[in-house]
Amino acid sequence: MPGFMQAEGPVCEIQIVGNTQIAQKGGLIKQREIWAMDAAMAACKGEAYSLDNPALESIGVRITHWRDDYVELELPLAPNMLNRSRVVHGGTICTLLDAATGYAGLYSAPGESPRHAVTLSLTSNFLSNGTGELLTAKGMVDRRGRSIFFSRAEVWLDGALLVATGVATMKYLK
């Protein structure tokens, strides 16, 4: 049975298919159309930000807070994100570190052109491990130049356990 969420605008129907949430407004939606609907889905779910990143969207990452020089991302954990020791896989954590250090420098106000960047360097420090329900990444810009910015991030498990930190050098794309 699909779940329903009331938003300040249209009513959105969310259908769960495996770990993928598909928004439906009558009829079936093809996979390639899901990515194009990310902004509409975010608005329906009360989120104001679109990732515009199929890789991050495919694993369930979402932006919860975003402003100049700061971002918060959330990732609900799934069994396929654990390693053979049954704790959160380091690759999942590094993915969030990379995303948080990058998105921290990419905010653009509504109506402005979106910014894009690539990672030049990412250093990760694993501090703890464990299992839980939600990873939260917080990214901050430390310094910004014309074409490069330097940022850092933390990844928290269930808001209580700091599992990793990272620092990155990012290059803006033109």
Side-chain angles (χ1 to χ4, degrees), residues 41-55:
M41 277 290 298
C44 288
K45 295 191 302 187
E47 300 169 3
Y49 313 107
S50 172
L51 281 167
D52 190 27
N53 184 320

Side-chain angles (χ1 to χ4, degrees), residues 61-78:
V61 174
R62 63 183 176 262
I63 298 173
T64 57
H65 298 88
W66 201 11
R67 63 179 186 269
D68 266 342
D69 297 338
Y70 183 81
V71 71
E72 282 187 28
L73 306 169
E74 287 185 348
L75 175 61
L77 288 173

Side-chain angles (χ1 to χ4, degrees), residues 4 7-9 12 24-25 29 47 51 59-60 64 68 70 78 83-84 86 94-95 108 124-125 148-149 166:
F4 293 89
E8 285 232 325
C12 300
Q24 288 189 303
K25 292 202 179 213
I29 297 174
E47 300 169 3
L51 281 167
I59 62 170
T64 57
D68 266 342
Y70 183 81
N83 63 21
R84 48 190 295 196
R86 302 298 178 245
C94 280
T95 297
S108 55
S124 57
N125 302 293
I148 292 177
F149 65 94

Side-chain angles (χ1 to χ4, degrees), residues 132-154:
E133 296 186 15
L134 184 70
L135 288 175
T136 302
K138 299 176 182 186
M140 296 134 276
V141 172
D142 289 324
R143 187 169 175 98
R144 187 188 302 269
R146 286 188 315 259
S147 62
I148 292 177
F149 65 94
F150 303 90
S151 54
R152 59 191 157 93
E154 302 172 340

Side-chain angles (χ1 to χ4, degrees), residues 103-121:
Y103 277 84
L106 298 179
Y107 178 79
S108 55
E112 292 180 4
S113 296
R115 296 178 182 171
H116 299 275
V118 294
T119 306
L120 297 178
S121 172

